[in-house]
Amino acid sequence: MPATGDGRASAAAARFGTADAADTAHRAGTGTGTPAAAAPGRSAAGRPVAQRAKEAADTATAGRSARPDRGDDTREPAPIPHPRTTSPARAEPSGEAPYRLLVIADGDTGDMGLIESLVAESGARVDLHRAGGVEEAAALLAPVPMTARRSRPRPADFNCVLLDLAAPAHGGHPTDEPFPSDGLDGLRELRRRAPHVALIVLTDAAGAELGAAAVAAGAQDFLVKRETDGALLARALRYAVERKRADESQRRLVEAELRGQENARLQRHLLPTPLLDGAGLAFTRRYRPGRRRALLGGDFYDAVRTDDGTVHVVIGDVCGHGPDEAALGVALRIAWRTLVFAGLTGQELLTTLQHVLEHERRSDEIFATLCMLVLVPGAEPAGDASAPGAGSDDGAAAPQVEQVRLFLAGHPAPLLLGADGPPRLLPADQTGPALGLLPCDDGLAVWPAVELELHPGWSLLLYTDGLVEGRVGAGSRRLGQDGLIELVADHHAAGLTRGRLVDSALAEVEELNGGALTDDVAVLLLERNPVSALMG
C-alpha cells in the first residue's frame, strides 16, 4: 500500500505487516515517534524484514512525530495499552453507548496490535478487552449464579466477541496436539458456553472459506485480516450485534409460540367431556376465559350420568383471575366428578369439596361459588310408551314430570325456560355460602336442597356471574339477572334453541358491553331432548 504524502507509512501497511512486525510493535509497548534508522552501509531495502516491519508499525502507531521543520502536530503519540486491560478507542463522542468487544487472540501472534489499530481507525466507540483463549473468554462471558452475586462482582456485559480462529480453543497457549481438522472447535465451544453473545471470526487471507463455514456454524460475520479496514470492522461489529439481537427476538418468539401451543393443548384437555350417554338430554356449553391468550379460567363445569340414571350437573366460579385460579377450578371439577362417582351427593359432597378447596387454595381469602343440579329419574309416562314423543330412540324413558334437586353455594340461580310462559329464575331463597367462606365443622356452612319439578319441554340455563356483570352501554349499569331474563326471552321467543340460543345471547351481551367480557364466562344449556342426546 502506498505511503502517505508526508512520508508516513499507511496504517494499513502496518496492520497487514508480518507477524514479526506486529509482535515487535506490541513488545515495544509504546511508539517512538520516529522510524528506526537503517544500519550503516545497508540500504533500506536491504534491512531485515523484521526491522522494516517494526519501522512501519512504529510509524503507524506513533502518528506524526514532533518535527517543527515539517510543521507536523507536536502531540505525543498515545501509548499502546497492555492487551489484557480495557482500551477504549479514541473516537468522537456520540450519543450511542460504546460497544464492549472481547477479542480472543493469542498474544504471541501480534494480532492484538492489528485489532487495536483497526478499532482506532474505525472511529467507533469500543471498549476493547482481550482473552488468550476460548476457556478464558468463556469464564468472562459466563453469567454469575444468583447465589454468588453478593460476594462476586458481575462480569462485563460484552456486546460482541471477535474470535481469531488461530487462537487456542482450550487454554491460553497452543499445545503440541495438531489444531482441529476444520478449525472450528473453538467456535463451537464458545457457542456452547456463551450462546447469548454476538460473534465475529477473524481468519487469514487463505481462510475465507473457513470464515463462511464459521458463519454456517453460528457466527454472525467473519473478517479476513488482510482485507479489513476500520470502517469494515465497525460495520461488521454493528451488524453482528443487530443480527444477534434479531436472532434472539426470533428465538423468543418461537419459544413463546411453542409454549402457547403447549398450554392450549394442556388447557383443552383440562376442559371436561360430559358423560351423559343414555340421559336423553341436549347439552350445550360455552366457555370463555377473561384472560387474554388463555383457554382456561377460574370457571368450571361438568355433567355426568351415574349407573342409576341420575344426572348430576355442576357449574362453579373461583374468585380471582389467573393461572392459579384456573388450576384450582380444574382441581375442584375433578374432585366433584370423583365424589359423584363415589356415591356422594348433596351436603356431604359439598362439605368434602370445601375441604379440597381449603387444602388446594393459595390463601385463605380464596373462595368458589357453585351451583349443582341433581336430576332424579322419574316414572315412565302413562299410556302407550310407543306413542310419538313418549320415548327416545336410545330406549331412555321420557318422564312427563321430572324431579330435580338444586344446591346453591353463593352462585346465581339457573334460568328455567318453559314451553309455556317467559323464562324465570329458579328459587334462590335457600342459598348457602360460597365454598371456603365459612368452616364446615361447626355447622355454619350448610347447603340445603331445593326440590323442584320440571314439566315437559323444559330447558335450564346455568351460567357464571361473568355473564350478568357485563356493562350496558357506556355507563356503570350492569346487565344483571333481570336484563339476562329479558334478553334470553327475546331470543327464545324467536325460536332459537341449543347452540344458536346460547351463541346469540352471548353475542348480544358482548355487544351491550361494548366488547369482550373481562370476566370468565361459562354457560350451560340443558334441554330435555325427546329424540337423542346432543352436545354442542
Side-chain angles (χ1 to χ4, degrees), residues 174-229:
T175 63
D176 296 334
E177 298 179 0
F179 198 74
S181 58
D182 63 353
L184 297 179
D185 275 9
L187 168 66
R188 296 190 183 96
E189 181 69 10
L190 194 63
R191 289 287 80 194
R192 184 182 69 83
R193 300 176 66 173
H196 58 286
V197 181
L199 178 61
I200 303 172
V201 296
L202 191 65
T203 69
D204 293 322
E209 294 184 0
L210 183 61
V215 172
Q220 274 63 55
D221 206 343
F222 77 94
L223 296 172
V224 179
K225 294 178 183 178
R226 295 180 179 274
E227 299 176 5
T228 302
D229 56 15

Side-chain angles (χ1 to χ4, degrees), residues 15 34 52 96 121 130 183 227 248 287 306 327 335 403 415:
R15 287 196 308 275
T34 47
R52 287 188 284 114
E96 297 182 359
E121 181 184 345
R130 176 182 170 268
E227 299 176 5
E248 286 295 306
Y287 191 93
T306 52
Q403 302 294 322
L415 195 61

Side-chain angles (χ1 to χ4, degrees), residues 300 332 350-351 353-354 357 361 366-370 409-410 432-438 440 447:
F300 60 95
L332 293 177
L350 295 176
T351 299
L353 198 61
Q354 170 156 313
L357 170 65
R361 63 186 176 184
I366 300 297
F367 63 90
T369 66
L370 180 141
L435 300 181
L437 284 183
L438 299 176
C440 299
W447 298 278

Side-chain angles (χ1 to χ4, degrees), residues 291 296 321-328:
R291 291 185 298 135
L296 196 64
H321 305 280
D324 290 337
E325 288 74 18
L328 182 55

Side-chain angles (χ1 to χ4, degrees), residues 389-417:
S392 62
D393 58 359
D394 59 1
Q400 295 297 312
V401 177
E402 297 180 72
Q403 302 294 322
V404 60
R405 292 195 299 270
L406 171 66
F407 299 87
L408 293 176
H411 199 87
L415 195 61
L416 176 62
L417 289 72

Side-chain angles (χ1 to χ4, degrees), residues 149-450:
R149 288 184 181 177
R150 292 187 178 182
S151 59
R152 173 183 169 188
R154 289 178 59 85
D157 187 12
F158 294 102
N159 302 92
C160 188
V161 172
L162 180 61
L163 171 64
D164 186 352
L165 291 182
H170 303 282
H173 299 282
T175 63
D176 296 334
E177 298 179 0
F179 198 74
S181 58
D182 63 353
L184 297 179
D185 275 9
L187 168 66
R188 296 190 183 96
E189 181 69 10
L190 194 63
R191 289 287 80 194
R192 184 182 69 83
R193 300 176 66 173
H196 58 286
V197 181
L199 178 61
I200 303 172
V201 296
L202 191 65
T203 69
D204 293 322
E209 294 184 0
L210 183 61
V215 172
Q220 274 63 55
D221 206 343
F222 77 94
L223 296 172
V224 179
K225 294 178 183 178
R226 295 180 179 274
E227 299 176 5
T228 302
D229 56 15
L232 183 58
L233 174 65
R235 185 176 65 179
L237 178 61
R238 183 171 62 252
Y239 285 5
V241 171
E242 293 303 322
R243 286 168 185 155
K244 186 61 179 179
R245 185 176 299 150
D247 291 344
E248 286 295 306
S249 298
Q250 181 65 24
R251 180 186 60 80
R252 287 192 294 268
L253 178 61
V254 171
E255 288 180 352
E257 290 177 349
L258 292 176
R259 281 196 304 269
Q261 294 172 6
E262 183 177 351
N263 290 338
R265 287 193 297 269
L266 176 62
Q267 294 179 51
R268 274 194 295 269
H269 287 301
L270 291 176
L271 289 172
T273 300
L275 304 177
L276 295 175
D277 292 343
L281 296 172
F283 184 82
T284 303
R285 72 272 198 190
R286 296 292 184 267
Y287 191 93
R288 298 185 183 180
R291 291 185 298 135
R292 294 184 60 188
R293 300 188 180 95
L295 296 178
L296 196 64
D299 292 0
F300 60 95
Y301 68 89
D302 205 350
V304 296
R305 178 177 183 265
T306 52
D307 293 338
D308 61 357
T310 304
V311 173
H312 306 259
V313 183
V314 69
I315 188 168
D317 182 5
V318 178
C319 70
H321 305 280
D324 290 337
E325 288 74 18
L328 182 55
V330 172
L332 293 177
R333 195 266 302 171
I334 295 174
W336 178 87
R337 176 179 284 197
T338 303
L339 294 172
V340 168
F341 282 125
L344 275 66
T345 186
Q347 177 73 26
E348 187 179 8
L349 185 151
L350 295 176
T351 299
T352 308
L353 198 61
Q354 170 156 313
H355 289 319
V356 174
L357 170 65
E358 291 170 347
H359 284 89
E360 294 292 334
R361 63 186 176 184
R362 55 183 171 83
S363 69
D364 293 341
E365 290 75 23
I366 300 297
F367 63 90
T369 66
L370 180 141
C371 170
M372 183 171 66
L373 290 174
V374 180
L375 277 73
V376 181
E380 294 185 4
D384 186 2
S386 62
S392 62
D393 58 359
D394 59 1
Q400 295 297 312
V401 177
E402 297 180 72
Q403 302 294 322
V404 60
R405 292 195 299 270
L406 171 66
F407 299 87
L408 293 176
H411 199 87
L415 195 61
L416 176 62
L417 289 72
D420 51 348
R424 61 183 178 86
L425 292 173
L426 294 182
D429 52 345
Q430 298 188 46
T431 301
L435 300 181
L437 284 183
L438 299 176
C440 299
D441 298 336
D442 55 8
L444 295 178
V446 178
W447 298 278
V450 179

Side-chain angles (χ1 to χ4, degrees), residues 16-28:
F16 302 137
T18 64
D20 290 337
D23 182 58
T24 305
H26 168 63
R27 291 168 188 256

